[in-house]
Amino acid sequence: MASNEGFLTNEQREVLKIASKNVESLSSSPKSPTSLLSEHIVKAPAGGKAQTSGIAVRHVRRSHSGKFVRVKKDGAGGKGTWGKLLDTDGESHLDRNDPNYDSGEEPYQLVGSTVSDPLDEYKKAVVSIIEEYFSTGDVDLAASDLRELGSSEYHPYFIKRLVSLAMDRHDKEKEMASVLLSALYADVISPDQIQDGFFILLESADDLAVDILDAVEILALFLARAVVDDIVPPAFLTRAKKGLPESSKGVQVIQIADKSYLSAPHHAELVEKRWGGSTHVTVEEVKKKIADLLREYVESGDTIEACRFIRELGVAFFHHEVVKRALVLAMEIRTAEPLILKLLKEASEEGLISSSQMVKGFTRLAESLDDLALDIPSAKALFQSLVPKAISEGWLDASFVKSPAEDGEVPDDAKVRHYKEEAVTIIHEYFLSDDIPELIQSLVDLGAPEYNPIFLKKLITLAMDRKNREKEMASVLLASLHIEIFSSEDIANGFVMLLESAEDTALDILDASNEIALFLARAVIDDVLVPHNLEEMSSKLPLDSSGSETVRMARALLSARHAGERILRCWGGGSGWAVEDAKDKILKLLEEYESGGDVAEACQCIRDLGMPFFNHEVVKKALVMAMEKKNDRMLDLLQECFTEGLITINQMTKGFTRIKDGLDDLALDIPNAREKFSFYVEHAQKKGWLLPSFGSPSMELR
């Protein structure tokens, strides 16, 4: 490099040499640099006072101009100073046009970057999935996209986003959202996550109501639809309510869903059609679909696809039919047995087929083995080989092989098995037809009155696993059976059997204890049982058993204010309210007849009520009115009703029995009630109105 190139010019080098000599002379002076500085500090400049007096020496520095100035601590700042080490100020900058510019000398700048939240990313991603689904209606694509998205721990937020987006749209999108939830249930989103998602929705109901005017009503309908579709259990409503503030709109949502939708007669059909959804298919259509999917599964061997088809049927309460038909198919096609057992095991482990439905399917097959053996001679032996395999693999509850005697039933001989099978068929037909006379005739044709308690247990057990409509129908049927063919002892013994097996029932039916308590209380309200029967039942049960606790719950229900009205409405009214209306109509028609009405017209009014199982109320009210008015004209009406067959001997006896049971209370208002009733009993026995079992009046009134 030439001598004239570099950072310093010749003139600058001369200055540097002079400076070096000055430093050497200072360092060799007897006075130290500090003493020299001190001398300058003491000497004041002409015309002024020393400006640096009292300042520590180390805070004073010679500037480039040769003046002494005060500087900052650690050598930073001050006019004519270079500042402290590594100090940069706003005025310093690099000249990029300088030939010696080095980009590496540019000062570093920290660039801010936001840390992404996985939940926020998930929420954004699911919105596009939902929007695409609303556009295409492709359930499979939406399920696939959600599965590929991963982050399954955030699925409850998918539930919230799906429902909240649908709430602000048309009925079409609301229906699509409900359909998608059913399709994703258990396959993509676990049952617990479905419930968590709905709880998040309930918690945010107050916020949703700000943006959506009728948010509470819409969310209540979504919740009711989830219960009807069996993706949310009814017990969820009670649990969720406890976790929400009483004044919140989430509690309002639960109350509306429970009272306005789930408690209404035929609520399942109404809820499913509210947004224009599909109508119910018949039982026969479902059976055909089950048979087809099982045949296709045996041919393909695709377990995942078969489970998806079962789920899409949307009949969780009817999965026992899948179990039964699958087992029969395994017996018919011996090579298909491994595939069938694999399917049932997979469906059980996924929670697709519940334990109760699995047991019910095996039970139904066991009860039909005699008939099945006509087509498959080895059916019984094959069934006996299948049961241990299912239990050992863990998808059939071991209680299936428990002795029926342990459940409070009679030994399960061939006659009882046949009776149970027939009883189940009769009950199912009744739930479809609502034809009480036909059911009573079927029981009479069976000719096994000693098994009446078993029928009662079957009736209530089947009703508990169904909707409120069937529960109401079961209670109405009990009232009719008690009048026609069941004795009070039959009813009481049937309930005792039910209470003895309450703990086992609770394993399959979450709210079994409460349900049985309601059936007990309803039986008392309907005069099927008397309060004393509850005491007798308690004496037959262990004190600390679930059955005893259920009886105590029933007593508590009956002791509440307005118990009769509340218990009649416990399953949404239906016939319960019809009974109350019938009582009013009966009273009015009797008053009209007593005031000079026509017998034929009164009989026609009784017939028009259309409640033959409740005609004992006509008998009771007619007798009470005859006592009060001291007018025996009512006996003529009862005679005409009996002659026409409008009021049967069973109903007539029931009416007289109810008067007899309430004589003590009646005597408080009518002093001669006992004498009058004794006269009426004698008259009724002469006319043949009463069963011989009613007894003589002296015995009855003693």
Side-chain angles (χ1 to χ4, degrees), residues 553-584:
M553 291 171 59
R555 287 177 176 171
L557 290 170
L558 291 166
S559 63
R561 292 184 62 189
H562 309 296
E565 180 180 341
R566 290 181 177 180
I567 292 170
L568 282 173
R569 293 183 61 190
C570 64
W571 291 307
S575 298
W577 277 117
V579 168
E580 289 299 301
D581 293 340
K583 286 182 179 180
D584 293 338

Side-chain angles (χ1 to χ4, degrees), residues 205-245:
D206 294 271
D207 295 333
L208 291 171
V210 175
D211 300 323
I212 304 171
L213 185 62
D214 51 351
V216 173
E217 288 285 343
I218 298 174
L219 188 53
L221 191 52
F222 266 110
L223 183 58
R225 176 64 179 269
V227 174
V228 169
D229 289 344
D230 290 313
I231 63 175
V232 170
F236 168 78
L237 275 64
T238 303
R239 293 197 301 267
K241 192 174 181 180
K242 293 178 180 178
L244 296 168

Side-chain angles (χ1 to χ4, degrees), residues 144-190:
S144 175
D145 289 345
L146 187 61
R147 192 181 289 109
E148 291 176 1
L149 181 61
S151 301
S152 59
E153 67 273 18
Y154 297 138
H155 283 345
Y157 294 96
F158 174 84
I159 308 295
K160 179 188 176 184
R161 188 53 61 94
L162 173 65
V163 173
S164 59
L165 286 174
M167 287 172 64
D168 203 21
R169 301 202 178 199
H170 298 295
D171 286 351
K172 174 191 173 185
E173 285 78 10
K174 296 183 180 76
E175 176 66 22
M176 291 175 69
S178 291
V179 170
L180 180 60
L181 286 179
S182 296
L184 297 176
Y185 174 77
D187 187 21
V188 180
I189 304 178
S190 70

Side-chain angles (χ1 to χ4, degrees), residues 400-473:
F400 175 77
V401 297
K402 185 168 60 174
S403 170
E406 296 176 24
D407 289 331
E409 299 180 8
V410 297
D412 198 4
D413 54 20
K415 186 176 180 181
V416 175
R417 285 200 303 271
H418 177 70
Y419 180 86
K420 287 181 178 179
E421 180 181 0
E422 292 296 325
V424 170
T425 302
I426 291 171
I427 293 168
H428 283 158
E429 290 178 356
Y430 167 65
F431 285 156
L432 292 173
S433 68
D434 198 13
D435 192 337
I436 292 178
E438 178 67 24
L439 181 142
I440 291 175
Q441 186 58 50
S442 298
L443 285 178
V444 171
D445 293 342
L446 276 180
E450 66 274 19
Y451 296 147
N452 285 348
I454 297 177
F455 181 88
L456 183 145
K457 181 185 176 184
K458 283 283 185 186
L459 171 66
I460 295 180
T461 301
L462 288 172
M464 284 195 298
D465 204 21
R466 295 196 174 210
K467 308 296 182 183
N468 285 348
R469 171 181 176 271
E470 285 79 8
K471 293 168 188 169
E472 177 68 23
M473 290 176 68

Side-chain angles (χ1 to χ4, degrees), residues 645-660:
L646 183 58
I647 299 180
T648 65
I649 189 171
N650 288 313
Q651 295 169 38
M652 195 72 79
T653 303
K654 174 66 175 175
F656 272 82
T657 301
R658 291 180 61 197
I659 292 288
K660 181 193 71 174

